Amino acid sequence: MPADLLATPDLLRSVFRRHAAGVAVITARGDTGPVGFTATSLASVSAEPPLLSFGVGTGSSSWPAIAAAGHVGVHILGEHQQELAATFSRSGADRFAPPTAWRDGPEGVPVLDGVPAWLVGRVVARVPAGDHRIVIAEVVHGDHTGTGRPLLYHQGRFNRLRD
């Protein structure tokens, strides 16, 4: 088998750059304040009970708060929120400083303003998966009444849907 076809971290990254994914921001309340990060690994797990999952790197600055949090916020970003997505993906950024608009939501979880939809979930599991953890949360609150089309991530960039 040719070496360029063997499974490597670079191969996995290259393949998933070709997979368009919705963009979400995950938030939680940490000991020193709110934390959050941009995620493209969000998935619906179950309708009964309503469960969702996302991956988080154990080396990320948000991991200690996510590891201890009882609840997390999940925000579906709209195509008008590319800069917000970039802010929450930037290492060392003050993600909750202006111009980020947010408020304390249900269960004390930071909820971002202006998103098309958000959920708050009670963490029910953190499953080890290599250098990440897969967090599973049961949805306990949410709002789907925001406006806007979804923001996508493809080929290493934030993108919009095309008709």
Side-chain angles (χ1 to χ4, degrees):
M1 173 126 343
D4 63 340
L5 297 180
L6 295 175
T8 64
D10 286 339
L11 174 64
L12 184 68
R13 286 185 200 99
S14 294
V15 168
F16 273 90
R17 279 188 195 105
R18 288 160 176 79
H19 172 69
V23 180
V25 167
I26 308 300
T27 61
R29 174 68 59 189
D31 288 339
T32 60
V35 301
F37 64 96
T38 301
T40 56
S41 60
L42 180 63
S44 171
V45 174
S46 167
E48 262 319 306
L51 299 173
L52 60 84
S53 71
F54 60 87
V56 56
T58 56
S60 77
S61 61
S62 297
W63 170 242
I66 300 292
H71 292 83
V72 294
V74 176
H75 307 81
I76 306 301
L77 297 192
E79 63 186 7
H80 63 287
Q81 296 177 306
Q82 292 184 22
E83 188 53 41
L84 185 65
T87 296
F88 276 84
S89 67
R90 224 174 277 128
S91 180
D94 186 354
R95 297 169 180 157
F96 289 89
T100 300
W102 65 282
R103 64 190 182 285
D104 286 324
E107 311 298 337
V109 171
V111 172
L112 301 176
D113 293 338
V115 296
W118 59 266
L119 299 167
V120 170
R122 180 179 58 82
V123 176
V124 297
R126 295 173 185 87
V127 181
D131 61 355
H132 278 59
R133 295 297 181 267
I134 305 302
V135 177
I136 301 172
E138 182 175 3
V139 176
V140 294
H141 301 283
D143 184 0
H144 64 86
T145 61
T147 60
R149 292 163 47 117
L151 181 63
L152 299 178
Y153 189 74
H154 181 251
Q155 293 287 42
R157 299 180 329 154
F158 297 115
N159 292 280
R160 300 170 184 236
L161 286 175
R162 291 185 181 88
D163 291 327

